Amino acid sequence: MLPKIAVFAMGGTIAMAGQGARGVTPSLGADALVEAVPQLAEVAAVEAETFRLLPSPEVTIPDLFALADAIEHAVAQGAHGAVVTHGTDTMEETAFVLDRILALDAPVVVTGAMRNPTLAGPDGPANLLNAVRLAAHGPARGLGVMVVMNDEIHAARFVQKAETSNPAAFRSRPLGPLGWFAEGAVRLGGLPGPRHALAVARDAEPVPVALLTVTLGDDGRLIDHALDAGYRGIVMECTGGGHAAHWVADKLVDAAGRVPVVMASRTGAGEMLRRTYDFKGSEIDLLARGLISAGWLDGLKARLLLTLLLMSGADDATIRATFAAWVDPAPAP
Ligand code: ASP
């Protein structure tokens, strides 16, 4: 008996088609995606559902909470795992959110395509086949949410889209991929590390959290605007390991008196510093004056973690403890 795999189509390039000289738009439902890959029938008993038909910048947190409900339901009905087909633009964010809210051992695999079906060499069918292979793979249980693209397996917590159109657009930082595919076989070479599932009510209202970047010569006025606009948290992508000009630092510290302010690195990878630089606006200064370190989470992921925490009603201490646990799940006494 082949394992049952639930496929949920969300849209994205893998599902895009178009006519004439104009570009492509989301058009293909889940059945069309599955029918295009006859080899799936050798791997799993696939049950496909068109869940949304969106370009992925339009995916929202309520969409993802509804998707999480549907995945849980499919697993409760006997699915061994689930595959989500999705636009690549926000795929890393969807994977990260699902990984934070699903408390499942069943493998959940997000995939998509860089080349749409109208182009020569579309990658969607191969990615979908690999994603189903991984979702049906026994040892993938307990690894949380993963992204499969271009014959590679990435953990939701590390994956990033790093190219606009190259089929090798996805990478994992600070660690590399968890595994790969070879001649149809799943190869798992790493473990993603402990999971931190959050208890967020599925009907909780999304909470706006701004993601800003420190840039040379900027006066930081967007921080004021973010507060005036009603953002309830700020993630600042600082330079390097956690730095800003002292006048921007002062604005961040003022903001931290009103809403949680998390500092990530605009480099997109590497752990934030804690005890190296001590100029005004350095990481030592910003942390001492109330900012929260994103640890090794990039700005996109830190923003989603803060959003989910605020949606869960977490207080300041819980927010700080949760971010701290991401850096070091078992701090030395
Ligand atoms: N370029 C995107 C994709 O890969 C469009 C989107 O994210 O929906 O699907």
Side-chain angles (χ1 to χ4, degrees), residues 12-14 16 54-57 86-90 113 161:
T13 291
I14 191 169
M16 294 210 193
L54 296 171
S56 73
H86 195 284
T88 58
D89 287 355
T90 63
K161 185 176 182 183

Side-chain angles (χ1 to χ4, degrees), residues 154-174:
H154 299 270
R157 63 183 51 200
F158 300 133
V159 69
Q160 299 174 330
K161 185 176 182 183
E163 287 271 351
T164 55
S165 55
N166 188 323
F170 284 78
R171 66 180 175 192
S172 279
R173 296 201 297 173

